[in-house]
Amino acid sequence: GLSVSIYDVTSRSICLRWSKFSGASSYRVTATAVNAVGHSLLSHFSDVTLKGTLTSLIPNTIYAIQAEAIDKNGLILAETQIMQSTAPDIPIIEQAYSKLSNSITVEWRAVPGATSYLLTAQDGDSFTETVVTNSPGTVTGLKPATLYRITIRSINSGGKSRPSPFRKAKTVLAAPILSVSSPSCDSIAVSWKAVYMAAGFSVSLMRSDGLGRMLKENTTNTSLIFTNLDPGTLYTIKAYAWNVNGIPGDDFTYNQRTSPKTPADVQVAFNSGALRAIVSWMPTEGALTYSVTASSGLLKLTCNTSSASCVLPSLLCGSEYYVSVTAYNDAGYSKPTDAVSLKTIPCAPVNVSIEEDEPGRLLVSWSSVNFGHYYVVFVKSDDGLEVHCNTSHTQCHFQSDCGFTYFISVFAYNKAGQSPLGDVFNYTTAPCCPGDIRAAVVSSDTLRVTWAPVRGAEMYATRARGGSGEVLCKHTAAACTLSALRCDTRYDITVYSFSEARGSNTSCASKSVATAPCSPEIKDISKETLSVISVHWQSNNKEATYIVTARGEAGLWHCTSSGNSCTLINLPCGSAFSVSAIARSPAGQSLPSYSVPLETAPCCPNELILTQVTQSVTNISWSVGMGAQTYLTALESPKGQAKCHTLQNYCLLGCITCGTNYTVSLKAISETGLTSSCTYQGYSSSACCPSGVKLYRLGNNGIRVYWRASDEKMNYNTNLHGSKGNFTCSPSSGLSHCDITEIPCGDVYTVVVSPVTDKGPKLTFCPKKIYSVTCSGSSLGMVIYRGKSNAE
């Protein structure tokens, strides 16, 4: 199809574009006003023309535009229609003028249908454009004092009108850029650079608070000075340039304060303790800050503040300062005030020396100082007591005591006050001699010396002289232990006091002290009897009493002698002891001698019991003997002896002869071989058992027991034990048989014949024989020997 587009629109024309249509030999364009009756415009274009302009149109009017492609026969091949409005009518500039050096303002009558306007300022080949909505409009971004051609075009949705006829307008002069200062408290100097095309300048000045009158100066120069102004006051300065036609340019406004007036009524208050001064003055109009300067020779101190007073710290003692005050604001500063003299306190005296020019008297001296009118010396002892000396000279005398530390301060004075505290000197006198010296014997070669502490002593030295030797002990405490001394020796003991500041006080008296006696040496221990022991030792002391102690689990035993031996009695048997000796004298007690071991012989058992086990074996037992390890027992008779050596407390002795009297002995033997021989009551072995015991049948129901007697005078007892009964018989003295008349047959009997004594129970160890007694009918049959009992 045929395509049409708008190329350009003005107030009275519309320029179209269309695409080439195949077969078309010409194109026809018709524009019909939509809102104007009877206004239509027709234009024809050849087939080679693809752009055409419709003119003589009505401004600000909407047109229906129809384009047709026509062949050579006049037939319409294609057509299309679009709607397009013409631009508003061309505006007419009524006036153009410049109020600022970078802009021009334009005024015009409004154009119907215009929604905005395009202002153009042209200077040669350069131009500046601005779109505005109504009149007046301003073009900005222009150069000062420059002639421009001004045009305006109206705009709506359809397009822009053609430019209006131009008007010429020139921008005003640029404002002078001021440089302002206040060279004095009552003047302001103004200067500026030359302004392009300026014929002259106008500068006005007035107080910013509106008070007073305005000053105005016209000049062709680039600087001027306003005088007779108020100090410290803020002024507003306005300046502009004009051209040869007297037209003023931009103005430039600047606020400037005059510099302050010199402060008045300067006062200086000196604080001697803090070495600082407070400087004060009357505030001056317009001053923002103040600077205080204190000069002393090449030294200069400053203090800055926004108030009407200032503190000058860290002033030097012994100096004279000249103090002045200067006021400042953003314009500059005032003249300094006349200097005020300030004399500070004197410095602390130096080269202080302290000496003891004679015992008990201190001399303090020092060098004089600047501005020092008189001096005071304070002397304080370490017990808190303080004295002082007031003088116009440079030395003072004071009383002193031993063992004290004195703290000395020297001050100088003048009208300003007291000097600062200088060095505090201390002087320590020699320490006092220790008193209440006491010596206690620790051992034979050691003394413990104590004393009462004294003032000023930091250390003590204890010296012991005697026995062709000397011992020295140093200590910080009020006690010292002197060791490696000789026992049983008299020493002269002296305690000296020391201080680091003054050394030793060597004038102290000595004290005579004797050491404890020497330890004895045990040479021999001999046993007088089992419970009596003699101890011998070597005596090497002049005068001493010796005490010997035997110490063991059984207890303590002592003996005493002034010689070289003593006897320990009633020592218990079977005990071990450690025997030592000590020596005592008025000076003290020696260390004990080396201990010597002592062992007493073991104790004999308290109880001993003999029991005959068989006719030839006897058991002997006994209670434990203290200290005994083994025992040796023996039974002796003319017929022989029996012995046993055992660790136990019992023993079996064989080969004992029956019916024999024995002597009984026992030896208790200790682990080290000490022996105690113990004797006891004699022992008689039991009577002898008979031999050849036999049974014979005696009648129909009786049995005769027969034996061979070991002693014709011995009586015997017979016992038969069987399952059907037990039977006994005892013959008359001297017989070797006895009869049992009634005994059951058909049984086995155990037969025992034992001697009968009046010393004890019946013997149970005589031989036992077994016989069978058979029956023959209702009577006894055969008596058959079966052997000995198993118990045998």
Side-chain angles (χ1 to χ4, degrees), residues 394-534:
T394 56
Q395 64 178 23
C396 271
H397 284 92
F398 295 92
Q399 296 296 320
S400 62
D401 292 317
C402 67
F404 277 87
T405 296
Y406 294 93
F407 300 94
I408 300 166
S409 304
V410 183
F411 293 91
Y413 289 82
N414 64 10
K415 291 183 179 180
Q418 174 187 291
S419 69
L421 175 64
D423 293 333
V424 177
F425 299 89
N426 64 73
Y427 184 89
T428 303
T429 55
C432 301
C433 287
D436 193 21
I437 298 173
R438 299 182 182 184
V441 174
V442 177
S443 64
S444 300
D445 62 348
T446 304
L447 289 175
R448 174 74 169 173
V449 182
T450 60
W451 55 89
V454 294
R455 292 198 63 89
E458 298 171 1
M459 182 181 291
Y460 301 92
T462 305
R463 177 177 282 105
R465 285 194 176 101
S468 69
E470 180 178 286
V471 177
L472 182 65
C473 162
K474 291 185 178 181
H475 206 280
T476 56
C480 185
T481 300
L482 297 170
S483 57
L485 303 176
R486 294 179 61 180
C487 56
D488 198 40
T489 304
R490 185 161 292 278
Y491 285 89
D492 289 328
I493 297 176
T494 309
V495 181
Y496 302 97
S497 55
F498 282 83
S499 71
E500 190 172 323
R502 288 292 169 267
S504 171
N505 189 340
T506 58
S507 62
C508 303
S510 61
K511 181 175 183 177
S512 179
V513 178
T515 56
C518 301
S519 297
E521 180 183 359
I522 296 177
K523 293 295 186 180
D524 180 55
I525 296 179
S526 60
K527 298 179 181 178
E528 304 297 332
T529 65
L530 288 178
S531 62
V532 178
I533 305 295
S534 291

Side-chain angles (χ1 to χ4, degrees), residues 25 63 89 97 104 274 370 435 470 536 690 705 744:
S25 61
Y63 284 89
D89 206 354
Y97 52 88
I104 292 177
N370 289 335
E470 180 178 286
H536 301 265
V705 181

Side-chain angles (χ1 to χ4, degrees), residues 577-790:
F577 295 93
S578 175
V579 181
S580 63
I582 61 170
R584 283 182 181 170
S585 73
Q589 178 177 296
S590 73
L591 292 174
S593 67
Y594 295 119
S595 297
V596 176
L598 170 64
E599 181 183 357
T600 57
C603 297
C604 290
N606 292 328
E607 298 180 0
L608 186 138
I609 301 173
L610 290 95
T611 305
Q612 191 152 354
V613 180
T614 67
Q615 189 166 289
S616 62
V617 177
T618 296
N619 179 61
I620 182 170
S621 62
W622 54 90
S623 61
V624 176
M626 179 69 72
Q629 185 184 46
T630 63
Y631 301 90
L632 179 62
T633 60
L635 295 179
E636 295 182 272
S637 73
K639 297 179 181 181
Q641 66 173 222
K643 289 186 177 182
C644 171
H645 195 182
T646 180
L647 289 168
Q648 311 300 326
N649 61 340
Y650 61 87
C651 194
L652 288 174
L653 294 175
C655 301
I656 300 301
T657 304
C658 56
T660 304
N661 291 326
Y662 287 91
T663 59
V664 181
S665 66
L666 180 144
K667 288 185 178 181
I669 306 170
S670 72
E671 185 178 357
T672 60
L674 293 178
T675 302
S676 292
S677 296
C678 311
T679 57
Y680 297 92
Q681 186 178 355
Y683 168 69
S684 297
S685 61
S686 63
C688 296
C689 293
S691 61
V693 176
K694 295 180 181 179
L695 259 65
Y696 297 98
R697 177 183 173 191
L698 182 66
N700 291 333
N701 296 317
I703 289 294
R704 172 168 284 186
V705 181
Y706 175 81
W707 61 87
R708 287 193 296 272
S710 59
D711 186 350
E712 293 180 356
K713 299 179 179 179
M714 183 67 65
N715 294 325
Y716 296 93
N717 184 47
T718 302
N719 290 278
L720 279 76
H721 302 282
S723 61
K724 296 181 179 180
N726 297 326
F727 304 93
T728 62
C729 67
S730 298
S732 300
S733 176
L735 295 180
S736 58
H737 70 273
C738 72
D739 297 331
I740 300 173
T741 58
E742 292 294 333
I743 188 169
C745 63
D747 199 357
V748 177
Y749 291 94
T750 300
V751 182
V752 178
V753 180
S754 304
V756 177
T757 66
D758 54 1
K759 295 181 180 179
K762 182 176 64 176
L763 300 179
T764 60
F765 50 75
C766 288
K768 299 176 182 179
K769 291 187 177 182
I770 302 173
Y771 285 89
S772 296
V773 179
T774 64
C775 291
S776 175
S778 60
S779 303
L780 291 175
M782 297 179 66
V783 178
I784 303 170
Y785 176 63
R786 293 292 183 90
K788 294 183 178 181
S789 172
N790 288 337

